[in-house]
Amino acid sequence: MIRKVTIFSLTVMIFASMFTVPAFASNGSGTQAVQQQKKMVNIAHRGASGHAPENTMAAFEKAFEMKADYIEIDVQMTKDGELIAIHDTTVNRTTNGTGSVGDYTLEEIQQLDAGSWFGQQFAGERIPTFEEVIDTYRGKMGLLIELKSPELYSDVEEKVAETLMERNMHKPNNEKIIIQSFNHTSVQQSKALLQNVPHGVLAGTSWANVTDEQLAQFTTFADFFNPNMSIVTDELVDRVHIAGMKIYPYTVRTQEQANNLFERNVDGIITDFPEYVYRHPVKN
């Protein structure tokens, strides 16, 4: 009797297994895509700048609300040596002022309207200080700090390093602080000051044919190779990974662009619209 029950039970189990799809394989490659998607690092470019004026507290707060993993911040310096968040080297495009960033004192530059150009609901938004941004969001989300045109500002690498050290942020244990720049010499200088902070090299379209030797050289001071998305190929992603670096391409502004990068197995996506990274369609 025991033998009959055992054989019957075994038969039922085998029969059931023929029609049961394991949870990890449900929907074919769809579940795999979802699992992979959860690992994608979502970086809000200048904050959620598709929804609010770039490099303002409104844009950074929107990115936080949208649960981005990082906010990307452009750091420059005022005439009186204060660090601020702004992308262009002039205030012309994103404020109601004119002239070079470095010709303004902090007090003067914070009197400018940095929101109305985007929409009247943002009228009165200021250009925030670097300290204001990091004090508000450290511990809440990652900070991808870009040294913007550092060749224009004497000792900007030291000032950024000092600001982080004063807050004991120079020894992150979760890679939630990354410093990057198009100026690779500046990246090297910053890395020498902040050896425990991950650094990245930004790469424009001129780096489309970057060699393995150049990637190997970058690894001596950088942990990330972050290129213009237009030069990203499967081969480039593989070579960056083989070199031991991660790759966060920029700047996604459409769902199609996000999907293309996702399929190429990049590590993160820098985007004006964080929702595009979350909405990658699941394949069936």
Side-chain angles (χ1 to χ4, degrees):
M1 180 68 178
I2 295 175
R3 183 171 178 273
K4 287 183 180 180
V5 172
T6 303
I7 293 174
F8 177 77
S9 300
L10 181 61
T11 301
V12 171
M13 291 173 61
I14 293 173
F15 182 79
S17 67
M18 294 172 62
F19 297 93
T20 302
V21 180
F24 65 85
S26 63
N27 293 325
S29 62
T31 298
Q32 183 178 358
V34 170
Q35 290 172 340
Q36 183 181 9
Q37 181 183 352
K38 291 178 180 178
K39 300 177 184 177
M40 182 66 60
V41 178
N42 192 336
I43 305 105
H45 182 240
R46 310 176 197 171
S49 55
H51 299 278
E54 63 182 59
N55 279 311
T56 63
M57 297 304 286
F60 299 138
E61 187 61 23
K62 184 64 176 179
F64 176 70
E65 292 172 2
M66 297 180 77
K67 302 186 185 305
D69 297 305
Y70 284 77
I71 49 175
E72 186 260 350
I73 314 164
D74 298 295
V75 177
Q76 294 190 63
M77 193 184 298
T78 62
K79 184 178 181 179
D80 50 345
E82 298 295 329
L83 299 174
I84 58 171
I86 187 171
H87 177 270
D88 296 5
T89 57
T90 72
V91 299
N92 300 18
R93 180 177 63 87
T94 58
T95 78
N96 60 341
T98 58
S100 298
V101 170
D103 289 338
Y104 282 81
T105 65
L106 177 61
E107 182 179 1
E108 292 168 343
I109 209 164
Q110 289 201 311
Q111 291 176 4
L112 300 178
D113 181 345
S116 291
W117 68 275
F118 191 91
Q120 281 304 307
Q121 68 270 36
F122 297 106
E125 279 291 324
R126 297 178 299 105
I127 295 173
T129 66
F130 177 55
E131 290 89 342
E132 181 180 4
V133 178
I134 64 175
D135 285 344
T136 301
Y137 294 105
R138 63 173 173 153
K140 296 181 180 179
M141 60 196 311
L143 302 166
L144 178 57
I145 301 163
E146 180 180 346
L147 304 177
K148 178 62 67 175
S149 301
E151 63 276 6
L152 298 179
Y153 308 105
S154 178
D155 300 326
V156 66
E157 297 86 1
E158 287 82 355
K159 286 186 175 292
V160 169
E162 289 171 2
T163 302
L164 295 176
M165 289 177 181
E166 288 170 358
R167 292 160 173 77
N168 200 32
M169 296 171 67
H170 59 299
K171 296 181 179 180
N173 57 13
N174 56 6
E175 294 191 357
K176 282 298 186 178
I177 300 172
I178 304 169
I179 297 175
Q180 65 177 359
S181 184
F182 284 102
N183 186 318
H184 301 163
T185 299
S186 180
V187 177
Q188 288 179 280
Q189 294 173 352
S190 179
K191 184 65 175 181
L193 296 166
L194 298 165
Q195 297 182 16
N196 294 312
V197 174
H199 282 65
V201 291
L202 281 163
T205 55
S206 64
W207 287 95
N209 297 314
V210 62
T211 67
D212 289 340
E213 290 74 20
Q214 288 170 321
L215 290 175
Q217 176 60 30
F218 287 144
T219 64
T220 63
F221 59 89
D223 309 275
F224 295 83
F225 180 80
N226 297 340
N228 185 297
M229 64 180 176
S230 66
I231 70 171
V232 175
T233 62
D234 293 339
E235 179 192 17
L236 176 62
V237 174
D238 288 343
R239 291 198 295 118
V240 169
H241 287 160
I242 289 171
M245 292 184 290
K246 293 181 180 180
I247 181 169
Y248 291 175
Y250 68 90
T251 303
V252 162
R253 295 187 173 95
T254 69
Q255 185 67 68
E256 182 181 5
Q257 292 169 344
N259 294 350
N260 178 60
L261 291 176
F262 189 88
E263 295 300 329
R264 297 193 185 284
N265 197 33
V266 300
D267 300 292
I269 293 176
I270 300 174
T271 178
D272 291 352
F273 299 91
E275 67 269 29
Y276 292 156
V277 178
Y278 294 128
R279 291 180 180 173
H280 179 80
V282 175
K283 288 185 176 181
N284 293 314

